[in-house]
Amino acid sequence: MAPHDLRRPFKRAAISDQQRRRELSLQRQAQNRRDAQHQARCLAQTILSLQNDTAEPHPEFEIAAQAEEHAQDFDVRQAARLKGAEARRWFAKQLMLPEWMIDVPDRLNTDWYVCARPAGKRCFVVSSNGTTVSRLRNGSMLHKFPSALPNGARINNNSRSGQSYCILDCVFHEPDQTYYVIDMVCWGGMSLYECTAEFRFFWVNSKLVETGASNDPSTYHRYRFKTVVIYNCDPGGLKAAYTEPVPYVKDGLLFYNKHAHYQSGNTPLVLVWKDENCSQYVLDTDGKGQIPDQQQVVLELLDDGRLATSDDPPVIFGCLDKDFIQKTGLQASTLLRFAINEGGLCFADGKLEKADLQYLGKPNRARAFADSYSKVMFQYTVRHSPLRIEHLFASVNSLSEEENTCDTDMVG
């Protein structure tokens, strides 16, 4: 496929694969009847009760393959009883993870928000029983501290019910030692899983101010919490998110569908996009911090030798020869690193048909998951024919002009 065919234009009649996933995701959440309150409570218990935290260095640890298999057998009601690696593996799947924007969503200017994403460590922050704990995406503890969040310090514990807890989705920004809140999962014991992004963003902005969590650090409030500025993704909002200064280091733009509920794992209803003007790291780097000549991808080895992404269902990038597997002693569920050779990625009817892969070895042991399909595609298009900010502006501007034209016709 020629490089200019890789990126879909900003306006196209055909429904893209990513757009189809967005529509299916909205349909699924409309049919969802899970006990969100119970899910939030069990998540809070799991975050607070993971075992052996004091001895483990949080950035690096190895997750055993068998732990992954066992963790998949537990639902959220059973997860609070998990321990060690099993608990961490389960927990790592609870954050809502954005897909990478590989084509522009429909109705971007009316149905989506945009914000500048803070650079730093993505984590859940839970306040309960007079303490506050933050945990990284891999489940390891980042900080344990008192805070002004509900039930987050002993000084404000007496006035709170034991069932009162708070779960925030944050990015910890090292330079100013601040937790930037990008989403809210639970507040004061009330689950927000099944609330729209529109409601959650309104709620987090009003509630943080009420508690004093945005105040400067003090004895009973170790770290400052701040919200990020959320804009409607119209021409003015997109420009502000992209160009306006912020008190943190930017790492791309986040796009939220206004109707999206908070769901665990990868979702096409939240998207991340980067370029060199709003992120230090657009292309992935190797272990030495250098950009490799060839794009590298991390895939999971399945039982039958196929190589899969972390998506559900997974996207298959190829298959390893049985003799090679036996010779190297590779086991199923192992994560493997590959380079994409000159043959690149080949598509048929918009779907991946094959990939020219070269085996490099195993990735860093701290890796919990394979790459998602959208991440691989975003990195691939950045190297060949990137989706640029001009395409995003062209999309929202054309949609705004169409709406203005319709309004004028109706008035006439």
Side-chain angles (χ1 to χ4, degrees), residues 112-227:
W112 293 76
Y113 292 119
V114 62
C115 67
R117 185 172 74 159
K121 298 176 180 178
R122 179 84 180 277
C123 56
F124 267 143
V125 175
V126 172
S127 61
S128 182
N129 298 323
T131 189
T132 305
V133 173
S134 59
R135 290 193 179 274
L136 300 172
R137 180 181 168 183
N138 62 16
S140 299
M141 181 183 292
L142 177 60
H143 298 131
K144 185 174 183 180
F145 58 101
S147 76
L149 296 173
N151 227 341
R154 292 183 180 180
I155 193 171
N156 62 12
N157 190 34
N158 294 333
S159 62
R160 296 283 182 178
S161 163
Q163 295 299 315
S164 179
Y165 54 92
C166 168
I167 306 176
L168 300 178
D169 187 342
C170 300
V171 174
F172 182 69
H173 189 248
E174 292 271 8
D176 60 1
Q177 295 286 288
T178 297
Y179 282 95
Y180 286 92
V181 184
I182 60 174
D183 213 329
M184 178 182 282
V185 181
C186 178
W187 186 265
M190 184 179 78
S191 169
L192 301 177
Y193 271 100
E194 294 189 330
C195 297
T196 64
E198 193 169 19
F199 177 84
R200 297 196 310 273
F201 292 156
F202 166 78
W203 201 255
V204 69
N205 277 286
S206 59
K207 293 301 180 181
L208 276 184
V209 174
E210 290 178 9
T211 61
S214 299
N215 295 344
D216 291 341
S218 61
T219 303
Y220 297 103
H221 181 58
R222 185 74 52 80
Y223 296 99
R224 182 190 294 108
F225 288 80
K226 286 187 177 181
T227 57

Side-chain angles (χ1 to χ4, degrees), residues 308-319:
T309 65
S310 62
D311 302 276
D312 184 19
V315 177
I316 305 302
F317 270 68
C319 186

